[in-house]
């Protein structure tokens, strides 16, 4: 629950070093009334200072990456995983690939630089940036060298400090093949000084380290062209090479040329001493993408470095806040005579400041500890913990800003006035519906008109409703998830979705921000509804404490096509189309315990429609299908078995009674259950959904729960799912074909997780009440199904 309404939107494009520092400072001292949004195509941001150590094998990938969703959660900011490709300064919008534009009040760019492709043949080389792509290539190359044992000539183009560090790190990682001569490392530099702009003593020490690591430097070698066989210099020389890495000066993102911003000769954004874009004081730029207008030529290269970007973070943080509070801005002062720490491989480092330089192992250990401490600043930020109020003395010495309380001289409190649950003007919804992408059939309708789908003769109406709190901070992504979640039960019933109505609850905010949220969330919902030929025809909007979306989806189907949850038969195989674990992963994310890549993999599964899986199940003669949602896998399986938790003992009743199909149970193969990456980790640590406790009552249906108490499987069996998969009972003879079809259709985790069994015939005479579900460690479902061959035939 938010404590303050939102009045202004700050949008950060890119997860670079400056924005990471800004978010860290914002987490400690946010500005009430301001909504912060980070847009980044990656969920992790690599710290450039530790890249050579990772290449050398001193760090793992997780050691040098900042988890951006977690950092945003700690800062109270929204995280949107998307790629920006255009800016409209006049309309104050950012265009994002594959999704609607994002509006802003203040904008900051920290998108780094892109590989420079001006060099002929550069497409044949591997650029060091972006780091994520290079790391994947490096792991493949290292594996190739270690397994194939073939001679390799490796060239590093670019003799700056970064190129020297990269070459030394590679030599350190490939120590044995380099010293044996099987791998040669060549460092190509256009200038005479290696590296440029550094004192003589520093250059001599680096030359000594390069020689120690068997690296071959080539000075005054200006690369004219890269070919498949090697590199040509501008004076006609040729060096044969097998692999070439580019560590040259990177270029500006090409799309900036169409942004309307003032750019320098290389295409970087020109900024003033306050880091503001020229002619656009509400747009800021930092890091490699920024070009300081008043910077001297000598400091131009220094300003495009990781240390400079980090130093710009506090200035950016102050100036964004000061702009909104109408306070004086602080100019950015480039740091001079920085202490440079250079990784030299083999746990050695070089320190350089001014004319002083030295190399030692002790320096590497100091550098290592310093950088690990720096990364801990981000990983240890508290998530979901309210910051303590500053002491009276601190408030007197350093008064804290009250925060924003109005927009355009109008307070939200004076506009809303209805309190939680109040209706929002229908005009807002009408305008938003009119701006949505075109829809099938009649298109957007009137929000106040009841919608009755026109059903063809002989077809039945199927309706499903779901109300969801936003599990993610991205409203557009939330709209997609809510639509897919609601569509699942309609698709499982083999009905064609026709129309939908929405109930949207928007957090209290300035009207402009409320409209932005409504546009994003409904656009996301319509995207998925359109994929299923379903029309969003209207709805209502309300004011509340948090973002929520309720959808009612109406579908149509012929009576003989409909499939329900009941109707399973003994001998049927139980097939699950998607892995489980979204509940624990989303709970872990709320507590700052989930890793960004886990959430990314979970969202990929959640955004996969169940439409194809439902068709495949129906084509393989499924007798019953259900979607896995709030009750968890076990709860929805018990619905298929028509089990009632309030019954003391099983009784024989007819399946049509809707109570308990007492003659059927199920056996589940624990080791066959598909789980999302990280789900077991989260369950073991008690990171559970708020619905988990309610779902644990279904443990009573397990025959052998005691044997599984110590395992994390039980919490995952009742873990509520968002956009979960389908569970179907399929005849045993069709199960293998069904799973193969699911895999071919993209449901690569689909598997047989159990089979339908019969309960003991003499259960009425047993001293205990046999429960319908039995957990087993492993099982051959084909062998189990043979027991029912007579029944199947």
């Amino acid at each position: 629950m938010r404590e303050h309404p939102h009045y202004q939107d700050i949008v950060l494009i890119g997860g670079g070093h400056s924005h990471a520092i800004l978010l860290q400072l914002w987490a400690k001292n946010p500005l009430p009334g301001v909504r912060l949004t980070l847009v980044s195509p990656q969920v992790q941001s690599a710290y450039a200072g530790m890249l050579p150590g990772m290449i050398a094998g001193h760090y793992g990938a997780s050691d040098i990456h900042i988890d951006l969703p977690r950092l945003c959660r700690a800062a109270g900011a929204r995280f949107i995983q998307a790629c920006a490709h255009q800016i409209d300064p006049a309309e104050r919008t950012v265009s994002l690939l594959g999704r609607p534009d994002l509006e802003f009040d203040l904008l900051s760019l920290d998108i780094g630089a892109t590989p420079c492709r001006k060099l002929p043949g550069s497409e044949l080389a591997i650029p060091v940036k972006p780091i994520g792509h290079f790391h994947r290539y490096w792991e493949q190359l290292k594996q190739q060298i270690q397994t194939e044992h073939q001679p390799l000539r490796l060239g590093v183009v670019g003799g700056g400090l970064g190129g020297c560090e990269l070459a030394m790190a590679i030599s350190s990682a490939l120590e044995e093949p380099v010293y044996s001569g099987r791998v040669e490392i060549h460092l190509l530099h256009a200038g005479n000084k290696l590296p440029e702009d550094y004192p003589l003593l520093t250059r001599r020490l680096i030359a000594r380290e390069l020689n120690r690591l068997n690296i071959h430097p080539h000075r005054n070698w200006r690369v004219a062209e890269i070919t498949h066989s090697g590199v040509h210099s501008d004076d006609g020389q040729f060096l044969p090479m097998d692999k070439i890495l580019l560590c040259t000066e990177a270029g500006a993102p090409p799309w900036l040329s169409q942004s309307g911003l003032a750019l320098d000769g290389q295409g970087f954004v020109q900024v003033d001493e306050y880091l503001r874009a020229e002619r656009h004081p509400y747009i800021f730029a930092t890091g490699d993408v920024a070009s300081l207008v008043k910077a001297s030529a000598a400091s131009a290269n220094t300003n495009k470095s990781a240390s400079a970007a980090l130093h710009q973070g506090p200035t950016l943080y102050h100036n964004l806040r000061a702009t909104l509070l109408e306070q004086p801005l602080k100019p950015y002062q480039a740091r001079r005579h920085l202490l440079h720490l250079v990784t030299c491989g083999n746990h050695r480092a070089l320190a350089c400041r001014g004319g002083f330089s030295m190399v030692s192992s002790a320096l590497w250990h100091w550098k290592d500890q310093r950088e690990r401490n720096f990364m801990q600043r981000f990983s240890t930020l508290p998530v979901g913990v309210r910051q303590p109020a500053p002491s009276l003395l601190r408030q007197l010495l350093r008064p804290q800003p009250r925060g924003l309380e109005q927009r355009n001289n109008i307070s939200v409190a004076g506009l809303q006035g209805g309190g939680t649950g109040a209706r929002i003007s229908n005009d807002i919804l009408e305008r938003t519906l009119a701006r949505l992408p075109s829809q099938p059939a009649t298109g957007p309708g009137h929000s106040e008109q009841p919608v009755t789908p026109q059903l063809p003769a002989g077809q039945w109406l199927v309706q499903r409703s779901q109300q969801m709190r936003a599990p993610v901070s991205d409203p557009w992504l939330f709209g997609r998830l809510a639509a897919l979640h609601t569509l699942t039960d309609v698709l499982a019933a083999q009905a064609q979705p026709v129309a939908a109505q929405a109930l949207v609850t928007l957090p209290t905010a300035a009207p402009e921000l409320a409209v932005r949220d409504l546009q994003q969330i409904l656009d996301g919902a319509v995207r998925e509804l359109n994929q299923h030929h379903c029309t969003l025809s209207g709805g209502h909007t309300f004011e509340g404490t948090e973002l929520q979306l309720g959808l009612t989806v109406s579908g149509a189907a012929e009576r003989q096509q409909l499939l329900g949850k009941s109707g399973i038969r003994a001998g049927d195989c139980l097939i699950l189309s998607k892995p489980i674990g979204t509940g624990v992963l989303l709970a872990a994310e709320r507590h700052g315990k989930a890793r960004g890549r886990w959430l990314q993999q979970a969202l990929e599964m959640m955004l996969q429609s169940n439409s194809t899986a439902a068709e495949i199940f129906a084509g393989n003669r499924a007798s019953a299908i259900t979607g896995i949602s709030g009750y968890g896998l076990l709860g929805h399986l018990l619905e298929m078995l028509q089990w009632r938790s309030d019954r003391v003992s099983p009784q024989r009743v007819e399946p049509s009674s809707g109570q308990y199909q007492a003659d059927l149970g199920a056996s589940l193969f624990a080791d066959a259950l598909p789980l999302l990456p990280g789900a077991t980790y989260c369950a073991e640590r008690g990171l559970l959904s708020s619905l988990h406790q309610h779902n644990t009552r279904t443990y009573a249906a397990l025959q052998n729960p005691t044997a599984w108490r110590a395992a994390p499987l039980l919490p995952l069996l009742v873990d509520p799912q968002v956009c979960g998969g389908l569970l179907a009972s399929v005849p045993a003879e069709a199960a293998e074909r069904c799973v193969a079809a699911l895999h071919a259709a993209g449901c690569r985790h689909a598997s047989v997780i159990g089979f339908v069994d019969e309960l003991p015939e003499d259960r009425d005479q047993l001293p205990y009440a046999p429960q319908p579900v039995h957990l087993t460690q492993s099982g051959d479902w084909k062998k189990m199904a043979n027991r029912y061959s007579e029944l199947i035939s």
Side-chain angles (χ1 to χ4, degrees), residues 390-397:
S391 64
L392 179 60
L393 178 60
R394 183 177 178 184
Q395 293 183 52
L396 293 174
L397 295 176

Side-chain angles (χ1 to χ4, degrees), residues 495-712:
Q496 169 58 49
V498 177
Q501 286 269 297
L503 294 177
V504 186
T505 301
L506 299 171
T508 305
E512 293 88 345
L513 273 66
V515 170
R516 293 172 185 177
D517 282 349
L518 187 61
Q519 179 70 35
Q520 292 283 327
I521 192 172
L522 291 185
D523 193 291
V526 165
R527 172 191 171 102
E528 298 303 334
L529 293 173
N530 281 350
Q531 295 294 321
H532 296 84
H533 309 287
C534 181
T535 300
L536 178 64
S537 54
H540 296 294
T541 51
F542 300 89
E543 174 193 309
T545 57
E546 60 184 354
L547 188 62
Q548 296 186 32
L549 175 59
L551 285 171
T552 297
V553 176
S554 301
E558 296 183 4
R559 179 68 184 89
Q560 62 270 22
Q561 291 179 335
L562 290 175
L563 269 175
K565 298 179 181 180
S566 59
I568 60 177
R569 300 182 296 262
D572 279 358
C573 290
L574 296 171
I575 301 178
L576 184 62
S577 65
K578 286 185 182 181
I580 58 176
T582 60
V584 294
L585 287 171
L586 291 173
E589 192 274 337
R590 286 193 296 273
H591 291 87
K593 302 295 184 182
R595 298 176 185 173
R597 64 176 184 273
W598 293 347
L599 295 172
Q600 191 174 27
Q601 292 169 315
L603 285 171
E604 289 175 2
M605 292 296 169
M606 293 159 68
L607 291 172
Q608 186 178 39
S609 171
N610 286 312
S611 176
T612 302
E615 294 176 1
I616 292 174
F617 282 134
N620 285 275
R621 297 180 289 116
S623 57
I625 304 179
T626 186
I628 307 301
S629 56
Y631 296 144
L633 175 62
L634 181 58
H636 289 288
L637 172 60
L638 293 175
E639 284 186 328
M640 299 175 75
L641 295 172
Q642 296 181 343
W643 181 83
R644 284 180 51 180
S645 61
D646 59 344
R647 302 192 69 90
V648 178
S649 61
Q651 299 178 10
R652 290 181 180 276
V653 295
E654 293 300 323
S656 60
S657 67
Q659 293 179 346
Y660 175 36
Q661 195 166 325
D663 54 346
L664 292 181
S667 292
L668 294 180
F669 306 143
D671 54 352
L673 290 175
L675 304 176
L676 286 167
T680 302
Y681 175 93
C682 297
E684 286 176 338
R685 286 153 181 79
L687 300 168
L688 306 174
S689 168
S690 57
L691 288 177
H692 173 265
Q693 191 61 36
H694 176 271
N695 291 347
T696 55
R697 62 181 182 175
T698 57
Y699 287 161
L702 295 175
Q703 290 184 20
N704 55 338
T706 305
W708 299 90
R709 290 292 182 190

Side-chain angles (χ1 to χ4, degrees), residues 236-405:
Q237 300 184 64
F238 174 75
L239 270 178
M241 293 288 168
D242 300 303
K243 301 289 182 182
I244 300 168
L245 308 179
L246 281 182
C247 200
T248 55
E249 181 179 348
W255 59 266
L256 286 176
S257 61
Q258 305 297 322
S259 64
L261 300 176
L263 308 178
D264 66 5
Q266 287 73 43
F268 296 103
V269 180
Q270 288 186 323
V271 296
D272 61 15
E273 66 270 24
Y274 304 113
L275 304 178
R276 299 178 303 182
E278 288 193 324
R279 303 193 305 272
H280 299 96
Y282 48 87
I283 297 178
F284 294 74
T286 60
D288 289 351
V289 77
S291 175
L292 289 167
V293 176
K294 296 183 178 180
S296 62
S299 63
N301 292 331
T302 305
N303 287 328
K304 294 187 183 300
S305 64
S307 58
L310 292 172
H311 186 53
Q312 289 170 357
T315 303
L316 177 66
Y317 166 77
H318 176 274
N319 288 346
L320 285 173
R321 295 166 62 98
T323 300
L324 294 177
L325 295 172
E326 299 181 354
Q327 296 176 349
L329 275 62
K330 181 173 67 175
Y332 166 69
Q333 299 291 339
R335 298 174 66 181
R336 298 184 178 183
H337 307 298
L338 292 173
L339 173 64
H340 295 283
L341 291 172
V342 183
T343 302
C344 299
N346 297 128
H347 297 94
R348 290 167 60 84
L350 177 146
C352 169
R353 181 168 184 176
F356 171 78
S357 297
M358 66 176 296
V359 179
S360 71
S361 297
L363 282 173
W364 183 90
H365 288 288
W366 179 52
K367 180 177 185 291
D368 171 65
Q369 188 61 46
R370 183 179 174 184
E371 290 176 340
R372 289 184 184 274
N373 291 340
F374 171 76
M375 294 299 290
Q376 284 184 353
R377 295 165 59 181
F378 303 99
S379 60
T380 58
L381 279 173
V383 173
V385 179
R386 185 178 299 178
Q387 295 292 332
S391 64
L392 179 60
L393 178 60
R394 183 177 178 184
Q395 293 183 52
L396 293 174
L397 295 176
R398 193 175 182 180
Q400 300 297 311
R402 293 179 56 190
L404 302 181
E405 297 181 352

Side-chain angles (χ1 to χ4, degrees), residues 726-739:
L726 298 179
L727 177 65
S729 60
V730 176
E733 66 271 20
E736 192 169 6
R737 180 176 66 251
C738 181
V739 171

